[in-house]
Amino acid sequence: MRTIRTRPADVSVVADQADAQTPLSRLPATSPKPLTAALTTFTNFLSSLDVLTSPRLALLSSARLAETIHRTALYRIAEAYGEVCDRVLDKKEGYEFAETLLRRGREEVAVALGVEGALERKEGE
């Protein structure tokens, strides 16, 4: 899987060797409280998302192109959530009770986005 972002952008942290060793759970932007808030927002997004169409992309002259863009975006969202899961569950990142931070599993998000088959095929390549 391609890494989307290895560390959050945080202007208060100087990017040096010591910061690279700091667990994500200790950084202000990815400590448990902000992470929980972000995951709650993501859950709300999932419950309001229409996975079949995108109103803005429907304005494109090519329905096929709109569908391709939409499916690719949904796939990338699922892929990014998978990376979040990997990082939160990684013991080196220092999250206590990591399983409780993640309200949805990787597969559940892929199903909600309608890309579960695409993720399985990509991982098998």
Side-chain angles (χ1 to χ4, degrees), residues 12 20-22 28 38 41 45 51-52 58 64 66 78 99 105-106 113-114 124:
S12 66
Q21 301 302 319
T22 303
T41 301
F45 163 76
V51 297
L52 299 177
R64 185 174 179 194
E99 293 81 14
R106 168 193 326 254
L113 294 172

Side-chain angles (χ1 to χ4, degrees), residues 53-84:
T53 61
S54 171
R56 288 190 174 182
L57 291 174
L59 299 173
L60 290 174
S61 60
S62 169
R64 185 174 179 194
L65 178 60
E67 180 183 345
T68 300
I69 293 169
H70 187 64
R71 302 298 295 161
T72 301
L74 294 174
Y75 172 79
R76 288 186 178 175
I77 291 168
E79 190 177 53
Y81 184 77
E83 183 177 336
V84 169

Side-chain angles (χ1 to χ4, degrees), residues 33-117:
K33 191 172 182 176
L35 180 63
T36 299
L39 291 174
T40 298
T41 301
F42 182 67
T43 296
N44 293 338
F45 163 76
L46 284 178
S47 63
S48 67
L49 178 70
D50 176 8
V51 297
L52 299 177
T53 61
S54 171
R56 288 190 174 182
L57 291 174
L59 299 173
L60 290 174
S61 60
S62 169
R64 185 174 179 194
L65 178 60
E67 180 183 345
T68 300
I69 293 169
H70 187 64
R71 302 298 295 161
T72 301
L74 294 174
Y75 172 79
R76 288 186 178 175
I77 291 168
E79 190 177 53
Y81 184 77
E83 183 177 336
V84 169
C85 289
D86 290 345
R87 299 300 294 267
V88 169
L89 295 173
D90 185 347
K91 299 292 184 200
K92 292 183 281 186
E93 299 300 353
Y95 290 103
E96 292 182 23
F97 310 109
E99 293 81 14
T100 60
L101 287 174
L102 300 170
R103 296 180 182 179
R104 295 175 179 257
R106 168 193 326 254
E107 295 80 18
E108 184 181 353
V109 168
V111 168
L113 294 172
V115 295
E116 68 279 2

